[in-house]
Amino acid sequence: MLKILTVCLGNICRSPIAEEVLRQKCIDQGLEVVVDSAGTANYHVGSPPDKRMIQTASKFGFDIANLRARQFGPEDFDDFDFIFTMDESNKSNVLRLAKNDKHRSKVFGFQEFAGVAEPNFVPDPYYGDAKDFEETFRIVEQSAHRIAIQLKNWKP
Ligand code: 4NP
């Protein structure tokens, strides 16, 4: 059973959609997984995802309305096998809490692990409009598919 955590800043836009889409893509590949998400910040702890991301998800057949935001913590390094960060800022915030090389070795950029160079981060749609949310969704969906295939063939 692979345990995967997706991480962004607020845990209300990018990482919840990445959590749900990656869960589905892993199931599609026949992988047994637990997928969760967290934010490096505590601004939105306990809140559902941003309404605009709930709507975008729903438009493409994904339901994220019941997810609730939580903050990333040092215990997550022991609880998860893979930690996928949405951008470089999320990654450095996560790595700052790592205590050893085993912790550090679990952390990858979402785009990096997917092997997608352009864009090399998942754009934050929070200050954007519906078009930005849809663009982020499309990037996440394409990369999640690639990540699920990478995980299926993963050899440490
Ligand atoms: P997320 O987006 O990191 O993709 O969840 C954001 C959500 C909230 C804020 C920033 C980004 N905020 O500043 O409250």
Side-chain angles (χ1 to χ4, degrees):
M1 171 82 73
L2 283 177
K3 296 192 74 182
I4 302 159
L5 185 68
T6 61
V7 178
C8 64
L9 176 62
N11 193 207
I12 57 166
C13 297
R14 292 166 294 174
S15 59
I17 192 63
E19 171 189 342
E20 187 57 31
V21 175
L22 186 56
R23 182 185 295 118
Q24 279 305 320
K25 299 289 182 187
C26 285
I27 291 169
D28 292 347
Q29 293 300 319
L31 285 167
E32 267 197 71
V33 291
V34 168
V35 190
D36 190 15
S37 64
T40 58
N42 64 359
Y43 320 138
H44 300 281
V45 168
S47 299
D50 188 297
K51 282 194 184 68
R52 297 164 295 174
M53 192 54 96
I54 293 177
Q55 267 192 335
T56 304
S58 166
K59 179 173 169 181
F60 293 97
F62 294 90
D63 181 2
I64 60 170
N66 292 327
L67 301 181
R68 293 294 178 268
R70 72 169 179 89
Q71 189 172 20
F72 180 85
E75 66 284 355
D76 287 317
F77 288 112
D78 296 316
D79 290 347
F80 292 91
D81 302 305
F82 292 93
I83 297 167
F84 295 130
T85 57
M86 297 297 117
D87 64 32
E88 277 303 312
S89 160
N90 310 146
K91 193 180 193 179
S92 58
N93 286 328
V94 163
L95 286 173
R96 200 170 298 135
L97 299 176
K99 292 196 179 67
N100 53 50
D101 284 345
K102 182 152 186 351
H103 288 177
R104 281 183 277 277
S105 73
K106 297 181 176 190
V107 183
F108 302 86
F110 194 76
Q111 295 296 84
E112 173 197 4
F113 198 85
V116 177
E118 187 56 46
N120 66 358
F121 61 95
V122 178
D124 184 355
Y126 187 65
Y127 294 105
D129 58 19
K131 193 168 68 49
D132 299 297
F133 276 81
E134 203 160 311
E135 172 69 5
T136 292
F137 174 85
R138 289 182 189 284
I139 290 167
V140 165
E141 188 180 34
Q142 186 196 45
S143 294
H145 175 71
R146 297 175 62 113
I147 288 172
I149 291 169
Q150 300 280 359
L151 290 173
K152 199 173 177 179
N153 300 317
W154 181 258
K155 295 198 187 57

